[in-house]
């Protein structure tokens, strides 16, 4: 959950960063909708033949980077496609299209995700789920919001009644382990949902559309913004065994359910790839 006390200086800085990030995320989303053809061309693959990047991933990130540099030229930027640039105390964490396969196939669950760190702490997050016209926002200590409504995650849901979102990696070995883990999770929960965008899944936790989320493999740009949004909606967001969220494993749910989900997953050694 979010820290109970946030200084006025941090709150003021975070509010301004959210406002700028939202403007940029909306502009990137409008560009992507306008330029997306019936089937976007695959530009390259990343970790495996199923892990694709399109020309519009590149274009979206370049637009976002340009707008950040115009407004705040001294800030650092970490982007999924362009890597890390700069070394300022403020760092932007950008996923230009989270859910690229959904984008490629014309499925609605993809998003533009922008988070901002100040001195190593994420203080602002925006996730624009473009096809649904939904822009989720959060500032550290100021709550999570969607269309003027403050978000609250579901609470008091036991594991056996929980709707849990998850996702899968791209390498065959990792997928085999994830299928093994999933087979142990499914009998213990209400049901599983696989949306295809980690950022959107975390916002779904914040909005109470699912009760929890876990996944092996998401990177900083996948979960930085959505994780803050979920935490500001009252969820616990982290990794296994007290670690912060990380590519090894990321979990998110209301306190109580988080601990139950952790207790189910930890003995399965879900961070392995074979």
């Amino acid at each position: 959950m979010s820290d109970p006390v946030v200084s006025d200086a941090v709150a003021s800085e975070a509010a301004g960063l959210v406002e700028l990030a939202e403007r940029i995320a909306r502009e990137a989303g409008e560009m992507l909708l306008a330029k997306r053809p019936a089937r976007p061309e695959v530009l390259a693959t990343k970790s495996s033949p199923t892990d694709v990047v399109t020309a519009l991933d590149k274009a979206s990130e370049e637009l976002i980077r340009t707008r950040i540099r115009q407004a705040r030229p001294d800030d650092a930027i970490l982007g999924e496609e362009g890597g890390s640039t700069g070394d300022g105390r403020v760092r932007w964490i950008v996923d230009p299209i989270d859910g690229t396969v959904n984008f490629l196939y014309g499925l609605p669950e993809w998003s533009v995700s922008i988070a901002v760190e100040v001195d190593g702490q994420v203080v602002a997050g925006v996730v624009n789920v473009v096809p649904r016209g939904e822009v989720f926002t959060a500032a550290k200590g100021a709550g999570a919001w969607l269309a003027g409504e403050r978000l609250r995650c579901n609470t008091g849901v036991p594991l056996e009644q929980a709707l849990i979102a998850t996702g899968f990696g791209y390498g065959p070995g990792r997928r085999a382990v994830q299928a093994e883990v999933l087979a142990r999770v499914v009998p213990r929960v209400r049901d599983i949902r696989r949306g295809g965008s980690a950022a959107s899944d975390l916002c779904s936790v914040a909005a109470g559309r699912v009760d929890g989320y876990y996944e092996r493999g998401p990177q900083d740009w996948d979960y930085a913004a959505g994780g803050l949004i979920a935490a500001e909606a009252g969820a616990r967001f982290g990794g296994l065994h007290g670690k912060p969220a990380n590519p090894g494993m990321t979990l998110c749910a209301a306190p109580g359910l988080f601990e139950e989900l952790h207790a189910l997953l930890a003995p399965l050694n879900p961070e392995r790839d074979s």
Side-chain angles (χ1 to χ4, degrees), residues 23-46:
R23 288 202 308 269
I24 295 171
R26 286 183 181 274
E27 183 180 356
E30 290 168 2
M31 182 275 290
L32 290 167
L33 280 181
K35 292 189 175 182
R36 184 191 178 277
R39 180 64 67 88
E41 178 184 356
V42 173
L43 183 65
T45 60
K46 291 185 275 192

Side-chain angles (χ1 to χ4, degrees), residues 206-271:
R209 295 172 180 171
V210 298
D211 300 303
Y213 161 83
Y214 79 91
E215 188 171 353
R216 161 84 168 103
Q219 304 293 316
D220 283 353
W221 46 78
D222 298 307
Y223 58 68
L228 177 66
I229 290 164
E232 286 294 326
R236 182 174 172 186
F237 172 67
L240 291 176
H241 309 299
K243 293 184 288 189
N246 65 88
M249 181 59 64
T250 296
L251 288 76
C252 186
L257 178 57
F258 183 101
E259 285 76 16
E260 286 192 81
L261 186 59
H262 183 283
L264 173 59
L265 290 168
L268 304 178
N269 189 19
E271 296 176 293

Side-chain angles (χ1 to χ4, degrees), residues 20 42 157 170 179 187 192 198 229 256 273:
L20 176 58
V42 173
V157 180
Y170 294 104
I192 293 290
I229 290 164
D273 285 333

